[in-house]
Amino acid sequence: MSLGCLEFNTCPTGSPPEGFNASDSHLNYVNAFPVNSVRFGIQTLSPKFFGGAPDFVVSGPNVGIEFVNALLAAGPPFLPPGTSVNVNYPLSTSSSCTSPSDFSFILTRIAPSNSATDVETCGTDHLPRETAVVATNGCFASVSVMNATTKTDVNATTQAFVLGHLGNFLSCLS
């Protein structure tokens, strides 16, 4: 496990850039931002503890843990090579959004495009924009499938792979 501590001011003053818990060498830290912690975990810790790169990386304390369970339930390959999934959810003050199971996950695209043809779902081949879903009243989380390198939307075939893996877990935005 790799933990970021710069952002949350949890490393003692004078700590080295990376280190581990003296009583449990499996608990490691990186004095950096979360993305640097993930990189350190993939490049350094995963080969040390697991003999290679991870199959899957989950980052962020959010309702995405329900999403991860649904995606992993379909078995490998979890995503096509070079593909990432971004899950966003609103900061909710609603009393009806108190647990991860309260959220509906909606397949979305990052950038709006009237000319792009997306995977057909919910009666259309144009996915909603992730920011529109997150801004919708209620307990909605956006699920955007993107190119891991360019951070841009993927084609309908790649979207269909993720849609097929998630089955009935995804909902339609009414």
Side-chain angles (χ1 to χ4, degrees):
M1 174 179 233
S2 180
L3 307 170
C5 59
L6 175 65
E7 184 174 8
F8 302 105
N9 198 26
T10 57
C11 293
T13 301
S15 295
E18 62 256 342
F20 60 89
N21 184 309
S23 62
D24 185 350
S25 64
H26 285 89
L27 293 177
N28 290 263
Y29 70 85
V30 178
N31 193 1
F33 292 98
V35 69
N36 300 98
S37 298
V38 169
R39 182 180 22 234
F40 184 76
I42 292 169
Q43 295 175 346
T44 305
L45 299 178
S46 186
K48 176 180 175 181
F49 292 114
F50 307 114
D55 292 328
F56 204 78
V57 175
V58 177
S59 175
N62 59 42
V63 299
I65 207 71
E66 293 287 327
F67 170 81
V68 170
N69 291 336
L71 187 63
L72 296 180
F78 304 113
L79 296 171
T83 303
S84 292
V85 176
N86 186 45
V87 177
N88 283 316
Y89 69 103
L91 176 60
S92 178
T93 57
S94 170
S95 61
S96 63
C97 304
T98 58
S99 77
S101 61
D102 293 334
F103 283 83
S104 295
F105 290 78
I106 312 298
L107 190 60
T108 58
R109 59 182 299 108
I110 298 164
S113 174
N114 292 330
S115 62
T117 301
D118 296 314
V119 64
E120 188 171 331
T121 184
C122 300
T124 182
D125 61 3
H126 293 287
L127 297 175
R129 185 175 184 182
E130 65 182 0
T131 54
V133 168
V134 172
T136 300
N137 284 335
C139 305
F140 297 104
S142 68
V143 176
S144 298
V145 185
M146 63 183 169
N147 179 301
T149 303
T150 64
K151 309 298 185 265
T152 57
D153 289 299
V154 296
N155 61 31
T157 303
T158 305
Q159 292 168 347
F161 178 95
V162 174
L163 180 62
H165 255 51
L166 292 172
N168 295 328
F169 181 76
L170 293 174
S171 301
C172 295
L173 190 62
S174 51

